[in-house]
Amino acid sequence: MAHEAHEQTAAETILVEVWEEVLQTSGIGADDDFFSCGGDSLLAIQVIGEAQRRGVTLTLIDMFRYPTVRGVCATLDPAPERTGAGLDLLTPADREKVPPSVVEAMPATRLQLGVIYESLMSDGRTYVCTSANDVRRPLDEAVLRTAVQYVTGRHATLRTRFDLSEFSEAMQLVEGTAQIPVTVADHSRLGAEELTARTTAVMTGLSDSFDPEKLPLLRLHAAVLGPGSFRLTVAYHHALLDGWSAASLLSELVSVYAGLLEGEQPRLPDPLPYAHYVRLEREAAQDAGSRAHFTELAPAPVPSDVTPAGPARPAELRAQVPQASADRLFDVAASRHLPPKSILLAAYTAAVETVRGDPLPAVAVLTSGRPEEEGADLTLGLFVNYVPVRIDLTGATWAQAARRAFEAERDMLPHRRFPYAETLAITGPGAFQASFNYVHLRPSLRLVEEGLVEAGQFADVSIDIPLSLDVANTGAGLAITVDYDRACYDETFATQVLATFLTSLDHIVAVPDAVADPRAGVA
């Protein structure tokens, strides 16, 4: 950390405090790099929200362009005026149709519509997400129901249903109340194998299809494991929550429950209404600059060797990077003032380029479009979007390739809410053959660190791209998943991509200043 003799402004003092709280560190100086200190785009959203609560207004773009306290404070503008939520997004005719029991109504987002459409086409079997986590507290059914009721009352998303036919466009309707089903069982006498089988059965039962037009779109099950713990299983429709929001829901629910057990009444700040994001997405869809950006990015026609041969046939491969190796990767990222995501994206681009023989491939990166307003970091919802980027590795070292990946993500930030469906309308369907996602679900990891839960898994939206790489920072290393469509690629191809990606990571850690070519040996 830097410790320069610099008289801080009031805004810099506030930002140092916020960075230290969000990054859970101390001794940050005005010239310390946010990403070298462990920051990333989602933590930047938390910094923006907390800073705004204290009167300092930032933007995500400025955080990427000027990633020091001193640098970003030099860009400060007056706080934007918060607009009203919800009804002003409706036509007068649609407002007249809103049922009396509904307290908020707004159009569905483009990604929500895509998820709902795919779900209905599969009779509700897809886009139902489940997770199971062991809570290290005794189960008190009444207290758990109170905690669920409190969280449901705080978050409009958990009281949301969709209407696909009665309005001029598909709507999401927030009811004043919603009863989230909570079933309870005692599994404390089951052996390990029987417990695993019973948990699988519970998850299967909870994942029965949801009707998106009916409440609730969330189900819970709690099973006693012993006198001091229970297994909490959650199922939800993906049109409600992305992976970060699901982890935040678990974090808030378990924390509130633990507090209630101790007699503490929850007092949490209000989340930003989801309607603010709906408005931002609709504005982004009309942005001429974004349309020009993606028109220029449009790739060449899809090669014949990746044209689907029949219906999709999904498959996956998995690998694990141990924590010690992940720590070395994080150290390299910090030494180059980069987030780990940039190194991972550079390695994946090199793998796709090498195995497919496709120079300058366009990779669709999963990104978050959360608003940059106070309370947005607390809002539950579906905020993710796929934004294609190109990273030119020509003549680059691995360190330079990672820097170019960072710059590509920085340059796409103004377009991060432009709906992926609109991008495909410009480029044509099937234009992007690879996608990438890096996730570090800190809310759930924080529960693990506090001794409240064992870590679980949270899904994010998958789309019609035949090759995807997902990297999850689990706190015990990096969990890597390659999803591929066997109608486009065989297992040999997917295995080569995974192996080349892992080789690229080894090279980046061992020789970051060597040429960015996974086929080269490590000196």
Side-chain angles (χ1 to χ4, degrees), residues 80-213:
E81 209 173 295
R82 183 181 281 192
T83 53
L87 288 179
D88 62 323
L89 295 170
L90 275 61
T91 66
D94 281 341
R95 283 200 293 270
E96 292 294 323
K97 296 179 181 179
V98 176
S101 62
V102 170
V103 296
E104 188 176 8
M106 70 200 87
T109 69
R110 294 297 299 271
L111 187 56
Q112 285 176 323
L113 286 177
V115 168
I116 291 170
Y117 173 78
E118 294 291 341
S119 177
L120 293 175
M121 291 297 290
S122 68
D123 296 325
R125 293 188 301 273
T126 60
Y127 293 115
V128 176
C129 302
T130 58
S131 68
N133 297 270
D134 293 349
V135 180
R136 295 168 180 162
R137 291 292 186 274
L139 177 60
D140 184 315
E141 182 178 348
V143 173
L144 179 60
R145 293 184 184 279
T146 299
V148 171
Q149 183 179 11
Y150 172 80
V151 172
T152 303
R154 264 177 51 77
H155 292 287
T157 296
L158 304 182
R159 293 177 275 114
T160 294
R161 62 181 177 86
F162 296 87
D163 190 305
L164 306 178
S165 60
E166 295 300 317
F167 295 83
S168 63
E169 59 182 313
M171 291 286 166
Q172 44 189 318
L173 307 176
V174 180
E175 296 285 352
T177 60
Q179 296 299 316
I180 307 299
V182 181
T183 54
V184 176
D186 187 347
H187 293 171
S188 60
R189 295 181 176 84
L190 301 181
E193 289 187 9
E194 191 176 358
L195 177 60
T196 298
R198 191 68 61 85
T199 298
T200 300
V202 168
M203 295 181 78
T204 301
L206 287 184
S207 62
D208 282 347
S209 62
F210 287 100
D211 181 345
E213 295 194 288

Side-chain angles (χ1 to χ4, degrees), residues 247-371:
S248 295
L249 171 61
L250 174 72
S251 177
E252 188 171 302
L253 177 59
V254 173
S255 297
V256 168
Y257 173 77
L260 288 172
L261 284 178
E262 300 296 326
E264 301 172 2
Q265 295 302 310
R267 293 180 179 84
L268 300 176
D270 292 333
L272 184 77
Y274 187 69
H276 287 249
Y277 172 68
V278 176
R279 178 180 293 103
L280 289 172
E281 189 208 53
R282 291 168 79 85
E283 292 172 353
Q286 304 302 317
D287 186 76
S290 291
R291 290 190 175 275
H293 173 81
F294 291 112
T295 299
E296 182 179 347
L297 188 74
V302 179
S304 59
D305 64 326
V306 293
T307 302
R313 293 182 288 127
E316 72 174 24
L317 299 173
R318 292 181 178 271
Q320 182 77 21
V321 174
Q323 187 61 49
S325 299
D327 286 341
R328 288 194 291 273
L329 186 150
F330 299 153
D331 289 342
V332 170
S335 70
R336 305 288 172 150
H337 306 296
L338 293 168
K341 180 180 179 181
S342 298
I343 288 180
L344 295 163
L345 177 55
Y348 181 52
T349 300
V352 172
E353 180 175 307
T354 299
V355 178
R356 277 194 54 194
D358 180 11
L360 205 60
V363 176
V365 178
L366 190 75
T367 189
S368 174
R370 282 181 182 269

Side-chain angles (χ1 to χ4, degrees), residues 507-519:
H507 288 196
I508 291 173
V509 171
V511 284
D513 293 314
V515 63
D517 185 351
R519 295 164 296 190

